[in-house]
Amino acid sequence: MSGPRARAMQITLQGIREINLAFCPFDRFAGTWEVREYFNKVSNPVVKKSNPECSVNMKVLHDNSQPLIRVLYSDTEEMTYYPRTMSLSNIMRDIHNTTRRKLADQDIPVDFGVAWRY
């Protein structure tokens, strides 16, 4: 989306320990594209530089299961997102807000990677 409604948001892996992504490529329903697109965004070398210790794991399933994005933060809190019920922009916004809140609570300055548009 472009124009006056488009806003740039920064992606950072700072404060995130692990990201697990799972999807079935033969899924007839929504959600597969969101998982693939999120993987492309967090696999960017500029974004990975914000936290080189964060592991991004992709699991391709063949059981027609629901796609998911699971984020494990440094303080061991775990959030699971289901792209069938949430859009990619909402998932990224929620991860962004949670990460900023956690870093602000620990008085850690945020080191952003790359800007993306939604």
Side-chain angles (χ1 to χ4, degrees):
M1 177 189 308
S2 63
R5 293 189 54 191
R7 296 184 298 179
M9 184 179 288
Q10 304 282 326
I11 298 174
T12 183
L13 297 179
Q14 195 177 12
I16 298 175
R17 183 183 305 164
E18 186 176 333
I19 299 174
N20 295 311
L21 308 162
F23 73 97
C24 177
F26 306 109
D27 189 9
R28 297 177 301 206
F29 304 104
T32 305
W33 177 86
E34 284 85 353
V35 173
R36 290 182 188 173
E37 190 66 23
Y38 186 72
F39 178 71
N40 288 337
K41 291 181 185 307
V42 298
S43 295
N44 186 319
V46 177
V47 174
K48 281 195 164 274
K49 244 186 246 184
S50 66
N51 184 3
E53 295 157 4
C54 177
S55 65
V56 180
N57 306 314
M58 173 71 85
K59 189 178 214 179
V60 179
L61 306 170
H62 298 288
D63 57 359
N64 230 4
S65 61
Q66 185 170 355
L68 64 90
I69 299 171
R70 182 171 289 134
V71 179
L72 179 65
Y73 292 97
S74 297
D75 62 354
T76 67
E77 181 183 351
E78 186 175 308
M79 300 285 289
T80 303
Y81 302 96
Y82 297 99
R84 281 189 187 171
T85 59
M86 295 178 73
S87 68
L88 180 62
S89 61
N90 287 341
I91 292 170
M92 293 188 76
R93 186 180 307 118
D94 191 54
I95 293 171
H96 173 76
N97 291 339
T98 304
T99 302
R100 287 194 57 148
R101 181 178 41 81
K102 288 180 178 297
L103 294 175
D105 290 345
Q106 299 172 5
D107 294 326
I108 299 173
V110 180
D111 175 29
F112 288 113
V114 65
W116 64 277
R117 295 196 171 276
Y118 65 92

